[in-house]
Amino acid sequence: MTVVVVTDSSCCLDPEMVDRYDIRVVPLHVIADGRDLREGVDELPEDLATVTTSGPSPAELTEVYTSALDDSDGDGVVAVHLSRLLSGTWDAARSAADALGDGIRLVDSRNTAMGLGFAVLDAARAARAGEHLDQVYYRAEKVAASARTLLVVDRLDHLRRGGRIGTATALLGTALAMKPVLHLVEGKLVLREKTRTMTKAMTKLVDGVVAEAGPGALVAVHHRDAPERAGRIVEQLSERLPEAEVTVTELDAVLGAHVGPGAVGVVVAHS
């Protein structure tokens, strides 16, 4: 058999790619009106304004890891998850992996969305090519470390409510009507630049992506209920990074609940 790659539903991977490389995706959870719903499995509400989210339990991860380990026929499992500073998923994953022994290698992507997804995909391709467990793990670590994520949101309330940014940053944006450009640094979402308007924020976002990109860059544009805004970013990036292949994905429920409608983000990584 081959090494099996596991991730969580924040990876934003196209289902066709998940099926092609037999990537195992553990659903994150959305709690709405007292119901515990699994992203990608259960029908989720369209209005995410009042929902809360949670990661998978150690028991859920243990079940998926065990099945993946069995299917690998002893070759092992590489599990790549969203940043431990954004979710409790890592702690649950660590608990599950420790109970199953050395066959499970964990990677903290220090990212999410395609900052996670690019690492997962590269690891899955290495596994499909017959690479050893250590090499698959290395590929995931390398791509994850290269990933840079920039984000602009319409309102900071959603991120503040979910504890993903500090209260001071949220109040700054609200009180001064700022449109800050945020980015992930070592797995934590922090302020990158302050701007006064969404137009200026979009310009800074694109400038930041171009500065981070280089030859062979992997680029993904994400949005939540903002296809036109995302489309304009794609056009600008295509002009300034003509050799880069730019993919576009709407954020699913869990990430969408934290960034709110109107949010746009871009991930740049290198394989």
Side-chain angles (χ1 to χ4, degrees):
M1 193 56 184
T2 61
V3 174
V4 176
V5 177
V6 178
T7 187
D8 56 72
S9 61
S10 75
C11 66
C12 290
L13 284 174
D14 187 308
E16 189 273 330
M17 302 302 287
V18 170
D19 290 341
R20 178 187 301 181
Y21 292 103
D22 193 26
I23 299 166
R24 313 299 169 87
V25 181
V26 184
L28 302 179
H29 291 247
V30 172
I31 293 80
D33 297 325
R35 297 176 298 152
D36 189 342
L37 306 171
R38 296 163 298 171
E39 185 174 53
V41 178
D42 301 317
E43 184 176 351
L44 303 178
E46 291 186 9
D47 184 3
L48 302 175
T50 60
V51 306
T52 56
T53 65
S54 68
S57 68
E60 288 175 286
L61 287 158
T62 297
E63 181 179 355
V64 175
Y65 290 172
T66 300
S67 174
L69 197 58
D70 289 344
D71 290 343
S72 79
D73 197 23
D75 283 348
V77 172
V78 172
V80 194
H81 292 294
L82 77 164
S83 170
R84 72 179 76 188
L85 297 179
L86 298 178
S87 168
T89 299
W90 173 264
D91 291 332
R94 182 79 273 167
S95 176
D98 286 347
L100 293 174
D102 295 336
I104 311 291
R105 301 287 181 86
L106 290 183
V107 176
D108 176 6
S109 70
R110 300 176 295 282
N111 226 294
T112 189
M114 282 301 291
L116 166 61
F118 283 134
V120 171
L121 197 53
D122 206 71
R125 286 170 174 154
R128 177 61 58 87
E131 297 285 357
H132 183 270
L133 180 64
D134 288 341
Q135 185 63 20
V136 176
Y137 172 80
Y138 167 77
R139 293 302 310 172
E141 283 275 8
K142 181 175 182 291
V143 176
S146 78
R148 301 290 181 267
T149 298
L150 286 75
L151 174 70
V152 175
V153 298
D154 261 347
R155 297 177 59 85
L156 291 164
D157 306 29
H158 299 272
L159 288 168
R160 180 189 58 79
R161 189 166 58 242
R164 268 60 185 186
I165 59 169
T167 301
T169 301
L171 290 176
L172 177 146
T174 303
L176 301 180
M178 303 293 287
K179 293 296 181 185
V181 179
L182 308 169
H183 64 154
L184 281 166
V185 177
E186 290 300 317
K188 184 178 181 181
L189 195 61
V190 298
L191 178 66
R192 181 183 174 107
E193 293 187 72
K194 294 181 287 185
T195 66
R196 288 286 185 182
T197 67
M198 181 58 74
T199 299
K200 290 181 179 179
M202 293 295 98
T203 298
K204 291 291 187 181
L205 178 69
V206 172
D207 288 344
V209 171
V210 172
E212 296 285 359
L218 306 168
V219 182
V221 175
H222 298 298
H223 71 93
R224 183 66 189 181
D225 297 332
E228 293 182 0
R229 194 172 281 171
R232 289 194 294 271
I233 290 175
V234 171
E235 290 177 2
Q236 294 176 60
L237 290 176
S238 297
E239 290 177 0
R240 298 179 65 180
L241 300 172
E243 296 182 359
E245 181 178 344
V246 182
T247 61
V248 184
T249 305
E250 179 160 16
L251 295 173
D252 288 335
V254 170
L255 295 180
H258 288 291
V259 300
V264 289
V266 184
V267 174
V268 183
H270 295 84
S271 62

